[in-house]
Amino acid sequence: MARRGAAAPALALALLAVALSGVGAQGAALEDPDYDVQEIWSREPEPEPFSPPLPAGAGVEEREPRPPEPRPPKRATKPKKAPKREKLALETPPPGKKSNRKGMRTKSSEKAANDDHNIPMAHDDVRESCPPLGLETLKITDFQLHASTAKRYGLGAHRGRLNIQAGINENDFYDGAWCAGRNDLHQWIEVDARRLTRFTGVITQGRNSLWLSDWVTSYKVMVSNDSHTWVTIKNGSGDMIFEGNTEKEIPVLNELPVPMVARYIRVNPRSWFDNGSICLRMEILGCPLPDPNNYYHRRNEMTTTDDLDFKHHNYKEMRQLMKVVNEMCPNITRIYNIGKSHQGLKLYAVEISDHPGEHEVGEPEFHYIAGAHGNEVLGRELLLLLLQFLCQEYLARNERVVHLVEETRIHILPSLNPDGYEKAYEGGSELGGWSLGRWTHDGIDINNNFPDLNTLLWEAEDRQNSLRKAPNHYIAIPEWFLSENATVAAETRAVIAWMEKIPFVLGGNLQGGELVVAYPYDMVRSPWKTQEHTPTPDDHVFRWLAYSYASTHRLMTDARRRVCHTEDFQKEDGTVNGASWHTVAGSLNDFSYLHTNCFELSIYVGCDKYPHESQLPEEWENNRESLIVFMEQIHRGIKGVVRDLHGKGIPNAVISVEGVNHDIRTASDGDYWRLLNPGEYVVTAKADGFTASTKNCMVGYDMGATRCDFTLSKTNLARIREIMEKFGKQPVNLPARRLKLRGRKRRQRG
């Protein structure tokens, strides 16, 4: 009893000293004239995180404004490799010499002390690399993220998501990380998984900012089942300090020494960049435990019935998959390449048609392109899944797919930038950051590497006293762009040649990092602006095409969904004019519209550029219907053949629609396709040496283009020339002959 009585005052004094030190730290923070914070409180007051009693003298560390730099955790033995089909991004080996451009991973020691607070730990024999919970993909909602404090709403816990991007003005509602309101050791950010989960690791980044350098250099991890009692991850007898970031963009993975089963997980920063603040973005790795009684989980569970290869495919695996599809459906598929990348990888495409390898008169040509940015991987995998789906459904005689294949010539180019993809693939789905693999091997962004034809068009339209009408289509590529010394990627040249060879009518290029469909123009007309609505003459058609994809996507038009980063596209139902979003000179969309007949749109298929393999089935379900519906839009508008009196097709004839200042041209066989919305149109066909012909063409609401053929007769001058050439003589130049006759008369009079 005497010992217990003597210990009680000592314990009380110790607790008082800790309390006074906390009050002093808080007071110092409040005395700072630049201090302006907004307290973000969780559901109810949170107790201090649980930790074992500190040995004598250990409390001195808590009173220091900055703890010493932690020692790097010991590396663990490498986890067992999963089967090839179930390969996860976390199995990607750590980066080598170029680690400054790749994600980093650190492993902790397998030795950890057991705890007695009812937090189960998985045994070593069941250790696995779990997928992300979904902070980056927005599977984790804002209501599941909580923090001790935040500087302001735009830096709240809901912004602490891996790879989230800041807005143009970083002091708005959309900033680039969670940032604590105070720089002390009591700050934390937590995730509520809403069910028991086996947590296996944490990935962190610093703050996305053009002006500030903020990141966390070390942190503790705690878990809880009720958000009241917290257990700190141990390393032996002490709390484990995990090594954080060394700069703000490269993701760093720390695996827990032993997987922990709990509902809540919390990150508690212990040190941060000297000249910065406590700011971080993160992703949590964890495997939700089966819980058939959890209604919330069952309601949000996404499954697919399609038997497809849901995995990430590197270049070799992609080529093998194409071969398998071709062997399954040899009568409707053909594999070919449009050129080579900078490093010599072939740019493979797959054609799907009932007569592969040939252009059928009257059958429109469609294409999907993905992977212009090598790290935007979701589009690539969606197109590989689409290949498999079309083949399987055609063999199963799905009427919708059979009709699409037999009435359309479809071209699918899954990887336009294979060099960049291989870099991103090496980094993995979570550790590649926001830009690893985005550019080609020689550092070119393919998305804006096409010739700027917008400026040529607008300068010609603005030019006064012009005797010739400015061309509104088939604008020629400048000679400087075609020179060998021009900064043009090999992949860009290959696409241009491909689009000039095949008379594409409609196309979509799949990108990532957002959830929206962007239509041209992508470049603003006013040179001093960075954002300005800049419509094409076919704006009403492009709006419909964009909406056809967005409205059939599971999430794009959902008004309840959270914005990916900073932009809310719900006011236009998941669509946006490219120039009103951000101006891009030399985009594929603008080039296609001004140089070819093709109407091209950019389809941003997901917030996460490189989702984990486990997310592919859900992403396929999100986009499957949209991918098919968008292809079907190629059969809207008018179509036909322009022939001469002998029934021969006239190539390069111009098709004009009254009231629309954009023309198209016929293909080599004289056939054409003009995308139009329902309505009545006055259409004119004209060609050199032929008399123009005009018709009224009605476009209905039912699917299927209206047939509108033209027969052109040659002009009198063309007939004379034809007769003279037939007999080996040159036609008479009538104006020159008149001048000669006038000269003779003058001489005779004189």
Side-chain angles (χ1 to χ4, degrees), residues 234-398:
K234 305 291 184 181
N235 184 17
S237 59
D239 296 348
M240 172 168 281
I241 304 295
F242 292 91
E243 185 178 0
N245 299 82
T246 57
E247 59 90 65
K248 56 187 177 183
E249 288 298 337
I250 299 177
V252 173
L253 164 66
N254 276 292
E255 294 180 337
L256 304 186
V258 175
M260 304 292 289
V261 176
R263 172 175 169 173
Y264 302 88
I265 186 168
R266 176 181 287 185
V267 173
N268 169 221
R270 310 305 294 174
S271 62
W272 45 94
F273 180 57
D274 289 338
N275 298 321
S277 302
I278 297 178
C279 295
L280 64 80
R281 295 172 285 170
M282 69 176 184
E283 181 64 85
I284 303 297
L285 306 183
C287 299
L289 299 184
D291 185 5
N293 298 320
N294 190 321
Y295 169 75
Y296 176 85
H297 171 66
R298 295 200 314 273
R299 184 186 65 180
N300 291 274
E301 191 176 52
M302 172 58 63
T303 58
T304 180
T305 58
D306 296 327
D307 184 18
L308 307 176
D309 190 20
F310 294 105
K311 60 165 287 183
H312 288 297
H313 300 80
N314 59 24
Y315 182 80
K316 182 179 179 181
E317 293 168 339
M318 179 190 72
R319 178 67 180 89
Q320 183 63 31
L321 179 61
M322 290 180 175
K323 184 178 179 181
V324 170
V325 172
N326 179 245
E327 291 174 350
M328 288 179 59
C329 300
N331 296 329
I332 63 168
T333 60
R334 177 178 70 98
I335 303 174
Y336 66 100
N337 72 81
I338 68 170
K340 293 184 178 180
S341 69
H342 184 272
Q343 289 191 302
L345 298 179
K346 292 182 179 180
L347 307 177
Y348 284 110
V350 177
E351 175 191 344
I352 302 177
S353 172
D354 56 343
H355 292 87
E358 61 178 285
H359 170 72
E360 299 178 67
V361 177
E363 187 171 283
E365 311 244 5
F366 176 93
H367 73 250
Y368 271 132
I369 299 174
H373 295 149
N375 64 330
E376 294 171 5
V377 177
L378 179 56
R380 168 194 178 108
E381 296 304 330
L382 287 176
L383 293 189
L384 293 178
L385 292 169
L386 180 63
L387 282 176
Q388 303 170 62
F389 178 80
L390 293 176
C391 175
Q392 291 180 6
E393 294 301 304
Y394 185 86
L395 294 177
R397 306 310 295 173
N398 181 317

Side-chain angles (χ1 to χ4, degrees), residues 198-229:
R198 182 186 297 110
F199 296 114
T200 62
V202 178
I203 302 174
T204 58
Q205 271 178 318
R207 177 180 178 180
N208 175 251
S209 172
L210 294 174
W211 323 110
L212 301 174
S213 298
D214 299 320
W215 61 83
V216 171
T217 57
S218 68
Y219 57 89
K220 291 181 181 180
V221 176
M222 309 170 191
V223 292
S224 172
N225 283 333
D226 57 8
S227 78
H228 292 282
T229 303

Side-chain angles (χ1 to χ4, degrees), residues 117-135:
H117 287 269
N118 299 322
I119 301 296
M121 294 182 293
H123 298 287
D124 290 340
D125 56 349
V126 296
R127 182 181 180 88
E128 59 179 288
S129 294
C130 288
L133 290 186
L135 275 76

